[in-house]
Amino acid sequence: MSAGFVHAPQAAADFTDNLRSAVTQARGGSSCTALRPDPLADQAAAIVARSTDSYLHHNARAVPIEDPLPVLKDLGLNVSRAKLLQGAGQTEADAIKVVLITGFRDLPDCGYTAVGISTRPNNNSGNWFLTVAILTAS
């Protein structure tokens, strides 16, 4: 049993790293500088992912977070704007693709300088994977 617990965090880390890599590569196709990873934006992305997960499990008191800016400000991050990119899929790859597809206009926006990333499995109705990327501009 303990071997299963050892591998679970690594799998989650790989999923998150894969999303971060995909976002970085998508941004790399533009003339903009690379997005800087931001730990507070990562924390905000995790909060957004949990809110969506709770909603999908019918445990939420409210609809999922749609605007990450108040969450970022509550965490002490002083940004002028933020863009939330979310995805879901029955495979990790599909969930990542949704973020890239929905972010096709925003990822090459040079006004965004940092990114927060979070991933989360959702097993409410079958195996689903949730992805969140938050782009921030100072």
Side-chain angles (χ1 to χ4, degrees):
M1 288 280 279
S2 63
F5 291 112
V6 171
H7 295 293
Q10 182 63 36
D14 289 345
F15 182 22
T16 303
D17 290 343
N18 289 342
L19 175 59
R20 189 175 306 279
S21 176
V23 167
T24 299
Q25 287 177 1
R27 174 64 169 238
S30 73
S31 61
C32 304
T33 60
L35 291 166
R36 176 182 48 81
D38 188 307
L40 288 177
D42 284 346
Q43 192 175 352
I47 291 168
V48 170
R50 276 194 306 273
S51 82
T52 302
D53 189 47
S54 292
Y55 185 79
L56 293 172
H57 276 96
H58 305 288
N59 293 333
R61 292 183 171 181
V63 296
I65 296 169
E66 295 179 4
D67 181 4
L69 198 53
V71 176
L72 292 162
K73 291 193 182 275
D74 285 348
L75 293 172
L77 195 58
N78 187 21
V79 295
S80 61
R81 65 186 173 119
K83 179 65 178 180
L84 173 62
L85 306 173
Q86 292 191 84
Q90 290 191 311
T91 67
E92 292 176 1
D94 286 346
I96 291 170
K97 284 179 194 174
V98 174
V99 165
L100 298 177
I101 290 169
T102 59
F104 81 98
R105 286 191 180 129
D106 300 298
L107 287 166
D109 181 340
C110 296
Y112 293 114
T113 57
V115 64
I117 299 289
S118 183
T119 58
R120 187 175 186 92
N122 175 281
N123 298 315
N124 188 35
S125 55
N127 289 329
W128 284 85
F129 298 93
L130 307 177
T131 49
V132 175
I134 298 177
L135 307 176
T136 64
S138 299

